[in-house]
Amino acid sequence: MNFEALKREAQQRAAAQREELARELAERQAKKAESQREADRRQEEKKKWLARERQKAEEARHKNQETKLLEERQKLKMERAEKAAMEKVRGKKPSKAPALQKAKEHAAEKRAQLSKSQDLTLTREEKRQKRMAKDMGLAFRKPTLRPESKSATARSPAEISNAGTSTASATARRKTARELFLEQEAQKKKKQSLREMSSGASASEEEDQDDFLDDDDDHYDGAPYDTHNPLRDEIWSLFGKKRAQYMARDVESDDDMEADAMHVQEEERRAALYAQREDQREERALLEAKRRKLQGSGAKP
């Protein structure tokens, strides 16, 4: 066999294998799709079954509630019937519901009032007054309207329109040149009078100030003011001091502010003594430290 024949056989076998593989894949896909459809169908059936079960449970619950309500109603009816029979045996009349009886009485009273009243067209305020009168136990009388005076009556639309047009025409009229000139002159005169009044007031204030200063100069004769106050002396005496002696001192003199040669020498001698004592103290401290150090070194083996 030549190479070409072998090649064709190999190609045929490969094609057959590919076809077999494709067929197997198709079968697998079909099986998978079938299994998926079966699972979906089972899921749908399960959902439907659960829905039916829930509906059945709900219906059963409703039936139970209805049966309970019916039983309670029957029980109440039986109790009422027994109670009515017992009251009938005792000779008592069956009592009706008090709320229903009260509502019926109120409706009857209202119908009687409506039939007796002649005029039913009442305003809100009149209705309120009527309720108040009823609560107070008084008879309600509808108030009669008094005729309004001519001055209090409203004006007619024609009068209002005429008045509006007259005011509008009065306000819309322009001023003449003469009126404008007179207004300007009046404003100028007013400004001038205000200016004169302000200048006159300032001049009068200056004159008053000069007179006041002249009066002060006349009263002042050059003598110092008397600053002695006996009340201050009394206050100082309360603390055991004399204010007159304190004020008589010459506190502005500088005689005691300067130091003479004797004071300077005394200060220098005192400073030297303090320095010598400090040096001696430090020297003794150094000697004591050396001695302790030597004693410590000699004591060691």
Side-chain angles (χ1 to χ4, degrees):
M1 296 177 68
N2 55 6
F3 179 73
E4 292 295 334
L6 293 173
K7 185 177 180 180
R8 280 196 299 273
E9 288 179 1
Q11 289 177 354
Q12 289 175 0
R13 284 196 300 270
Q17 289 177 358
R18 284 196 297 272
E19 289 177 359
E20 186 68 22
L21 183 60
R23 187 169 57 255
E24 289 179 358
L25 289 173
E27 290 177 357
R28 288 179 183 177
Q29 290 290 337
K31 289 180 180 179
K32 188 175 181 180
E34 185 66 24
S35 61
Q36 186 66 30
R37 284 195 296 272
E38 186 68 20
D40 293 340
R41 185 178 61 79
R42 289 178 180 176
Q43 190 70 21
E44 289 293 332
E45 289 179 355
K46 186 178 180 180
K47 288 181 180 179
K48 290 179 181 179
W49 179 79
L50 290 173
R52 286 195 300 270
E53 291 295 326
R54 283 196 296 269
Q55 187 175 1
K56 288 179 181 179
E58 192 71 20
E59 290 176 356
R61 188 171 63 83
H62 282 301
K63 285 181 180 179
N64 291 332
Q65 289 180 356
E66 289 177 358
T67 52
K68 286 181 180 180
L69 288 173
L70 289 173
E71 289 176 358
E72 289 178 358
R73 288 175 184 174
Q74 291 291 336
K75 188 176 180 180
L76 288 173
K77 285 182 180 180
M78 292 293 292
E79 289 178 357
R80 288 175 183 174
E82 290 178 359
K83 190 175 180 180
M86 293 295 292
E87 288 178 354
K88 188 175 181 180
V89 169
R90 292 174 184 174
K92 293 182 179 180
K93 294 182 180 180
S95 60
K96 297 181 180 179
L100 181 61
Q101 189 69 20
K102 189 175 181 180
K104 286 182 178 180
E105 291 176 359
H106 182 69
E109 290 178 1
K110 194 170 183 180
R111 283 195 300 270
Q113 289 178 1
L114 290 174
S115 62
K116 290 179 181 179
S117 61
Q118 296 178 359
D119 190 6
L120 301 179
T121 57
L122 298 176
T123 61
R124 184 178 297 176
E125 183 66 21
E126 290 173 353
K127 289 179 180 179
R128 187 181 66 81
Q129 293 177 2
K130 187 176 180 180
R131 287 195 299 270
M132 290 175 64
K134 182 182 177 182
D135 294 338
M136 296 171 66
L138 301 175
F140 173 72
R141 293 182 181 179
K142 186 177 179 181
T144 57
L145 297 175
R146 295 182 180 179
E148 296 181 356
S149 61
K150 190 174 182 180
S151 60
T153 56
R155 293 184 297 176
S156 62
E159 293 178 356
I160 294 171
S161 62
N162 292 332
T165 53
S166 63
T167 53
S169 62
T171 54
R173 187 175 64 82
R174 296 180 62 183
K175 295 181 180 180
T176 60
R178 184 174 179 278
E179 291 175 352
L180 292 173
F181 176 74
L182 291 174
E183 287 183 0
Q184 291 176 1
E185 290 295 328
Q187 290 178 1
K188 287 180 181 179
K189 288 181 180 179
K190 189 175 181 180
K191 290 180 181 178
Q192 188 175 1
S193 63
L194 291 173
R195 195 179 299 110
E196 290 176 356
M197 289 173 64
S198 61
S199 62
S202 61
S204 62
E205 288 177 359
E206 290 178 358
E207 291 177 359
D208 294 339
Q209 189 174 4
D210 294 338
D211 295 339
F212 178 73
L213 293 174
D214 293 339
D215 293 340
D216 288 344
D217 293 338
D218 294 338
H219 288 294
Y220 180 68
D221 55 355
Y225 291 103
D226 186 11
T227 58
H228 179 69
N229 191 354
L231 182 60
R232 293 183 179 180
D233 295 340
E234 293 294 334
I235 294 171
W236 278 67
S237 63
L238 290 175
F239 292 98
K241 296 181 180 180
K242 294 182 180 181
R243 182 172 176 273
Q245 293 180 1
Y246 180 79
M247 296 297 293
R249 291 191 309 169
D250 190 7
V251 295
E252 295 182 358
S253 64
D254 55 352
D255 295 339
D256 56 349
M257 298 297 291
E258 296 180 358
D260 54 1
M262 185 176 64
H263 287 89
V264 172
Q265 290 178 0
E266 184 68 22
E267 288 292 332
E268 289 179 355
R269 187 180 63 80
R270 190 180 294 109
L273 182 61
Y274 288 159
Q276 186 178 2
R277 289 179 181 176
E278 188 68 24
D279 293 340
Q280 290 176 1
R281 192 181 298 110
E282 290 181 359
E283 188 175 357
R284 284 197 298 271
L286 290 173
L287 291 174
E288 185 68 20
K290 287 181 180 180
R291 186 177 62 79
R292 289 178 180 177
K293 187 176 181 181
L294 291 173
Q295 287 179 359
S297 61
K300 290 181 180 180

